[in-house]
Amino acid sequence: MVDAVLVGCGAMSEVWFDAARRIDGLSIVGLVDLDLDRARSRAAEFGLEGAATGASLDAMLDSRPADVVFDAVVPAARTSVARSAFAHGCHLLSEKPLAASLEEGRAIVAAARKAARVHAVVQNRRYHPGVRRIRRFIDSGALGRPTSVHSDFFLAPHFGGFREQMEHVLLVDMAIHTFDAARAMTGLDGERVYCREWDPASSWYQQGSSAAAIFEMSGGAVFTYRGSWCAEGAATSWEASWRIVGERGSLVWDGFDAIRVEAVEARTREGRFARTRTIEVPQLDAADRVGGHIGVMQDFIAAVRGGPPPETAGADNLKSLAMVFGAVESAEAGRPVDIVD
């Protein structure tokens, strides 16, 4: 059995509890929240009557030792949760983003390494069937090397709560998913970025509800991102919509179920354009790991039990976090900046 304590029993914790109860041999033995009544309510809601509840993670782990900590707190509290988890010898799985700043992210990763504990981040979009299929297809070389990647993200959620008071809210709280998915599908990493943020008059966010960014990626490719969290109507998928241009063709994904690929069939031309043919992107392979939160959690628990490092390990996720804070730095400075993880 793997015993877990979950800290942060707000709205996001619901998907954590749902995923955890579907993993054999995993038991949530403690729930922590500053609002003790909320922790007790979650315990009752998910049938965890035997689990301890408390308002302090340190106190919980002192009285009820655990193997892992599940961190579903707000980003500003991420460092204190990591410090407590590692001090008590626990492995740590955190909600995204990895940290509230790149410096804090580096410190958390270094602390995990020093403690010799497994540390991973819930980049659940990596476990989306579309991302998995595209990743395998790009790896096949059917389109050659990616030369440019383009994503659009346009939604208008009214969350209420802390998100609407955040600075750089789109980049820090949501764009990490899109940036990480770009890395996952193409194998490319960000090296330099120019970003522009703005807030339409209709925005209900404090700052940074809309952004556009151009990334210079490894291998000479370019990745463009356009996004808004206050674009009413004609919504994209939460996974964004995508175009990946390769040396020998292009892949288009609507972020839902439709993936279309056209590749150059021959160098002969029909008028001004090369002749192309449609290529089918294979369906999921038995080896493809999917499931969103449960996919991340399964890989994490397998690593805790002695398996390979999780795909979303904190050390790798720093590269995605660096893209986020590179974009933030660029938006604040009004110029391109290098990305250093």
Side-chain angles (χ1 to χ4, degrees):
M1 291 292 293
V2 173
D3 289 345
V5 167
L6 186 144
V7 54
C9 296
M12 183 58 68
S13 69
E14 183 174 349
V15 293
W16 285 72
F17 287 117
D18 185 60
R21 64 183 176 182
R22 295 158 63 189
I23 298 178
D24 292 337
L26 173 62
S27 176
I28 293 184
V29 298
L31 292 79
V32 176
D33 197 280
L34 293 175
D35 183 342
L36 188 53
D37 287 339
R38 186 159 58 184
R40 290 168 175 161
S41 176
R42 283 296 193 202
E45 179 182 357
F46 286 91
L48 300 170
E49 290 81 3
T53 56
S56 163
L57 180 58
D58 279 324
M60 174 66 70
L61 295 175
D62 284 341
S63 64
R64 182 61 177 89
D67 303 299
V68 305
V69 169
F70 290 151
D71 165 14
V73 301
V74 296
R78 201 80 74 217
T79 298
S80 63
V81 168
R83 187 182 300 117
S84 178
F86 298 144
H88 289 83
C90 296
H91 305 282
L92 176 65
L93 179 63
S94 294
E95 188 56 71
K96 60 81 201 165
L98 187 163
S101 72
L102 190 55
E103 292 71 21
E104 289 182 9
R106 291 174 182 142
I108 291 171
V109 169
R113 187 179 297 115
K114 182 177 180 180
R117 299 291 86 185
V118 178
H119 169 236
V121 181
V122 178
Q123 293 293 171
N124 52 311
R125 263 62 176 190
R126 281 193 177 228
Y127 292 76
H128 187 284
V131 171
R132 288 304 200 200
R133 291 172 64 198
I134 292 169
R135 173 179 180 161
R136 188 156 36 82
F137 183 78
I138 296 298
D139 284 348
S140 75
L143 293 181
R145 294 178 302 174
T147 59
S148 65
V149 183
H150 309 277
S151 66
D152 281 344
F153 177 89
F154 293 98
L155 286 168
H158 292 258
F159 290 110
F162 74 94
R163 285 182 180 86
E164 294 187 4
Q165 304 305 313
M166 286 178 64
E167 294 184 349
H168 311 291
V169 60
L170 180 66
L171 291 174
V172 172
D173 195 61
M174 188 63 211
I176 181 70
H177 283 304
T178 312
F179 298 172
D180 189 69
R183 292 184 58 233
M185 291 189 291
T186 67
L188 305 174
D189 292 325
E191 296 183 345
R192 191 169 173 80
V193 61
Y194 174 67
C195 181
R196 169 84 162 82
E197 283 182 311
W198 69 96
D199 287 282
S202 57
S203 175
W204 48 94
Y205 294 90
Q206 176 174 294
Q207 193 272 327
S209 62
S210 303
I214 303 172
F215 290 90
E216 298 174 20
M217 306 293 282
S218 54
V222 171
F223 166 44
T224 68
Y225 170 83
R226 302 188 302 178
S228 175
W229 248 358
C230 57
E232 302 279 13
T236 64
S237 161
W238 280 92
E239 275 58 60
S241 60
W242 295 82
R243 177 182 290 267
I244 300 176
V245 181
E247 295 170 307
R248 297 192 294 274
S250 297
L251 178 150
V252 178
W253 178 37
D254 67 356
F256 296 101
D257 299 318
I259 303 174
R260 180 169 57 90
V261 176
E262 292 185 7
V264 173
E265 185 176 38
R267 290 300 174 186
T268 56
R269 295 180 179 175
E270 295 176 347
R272 293 183 174 87
F273 298 98
R275 184 184 304 133
T276 61
R277 62 187 176 91
T278 300
I279 300 178
E280 292 296 322
V281 176
Q283 295 299 315
L284 287 172
D285 185 88
D288 289 328
R289 303 186 309 284
V290 295
H293 273 69
I294 191 171
V296 177
M297 199 175 286
Q298 284 172 329
D299 275 6
F300 173 76
I301 296 300
V304 168
R305 290 172 171 157
E311 181 175 330
T312 61
D316 177 79
N317 196 246
L318 270 178
K319 297 180 183 296
S320 298
L321 192 70
M323 291 176 70
V324 169
F325 286 109
V328 168
E329 181 184 350
S330 173
E332 290 180 340
R335 57 174 174 77
V337 301
D338 291 333
I339 296 171
V340 181
D341 60 82

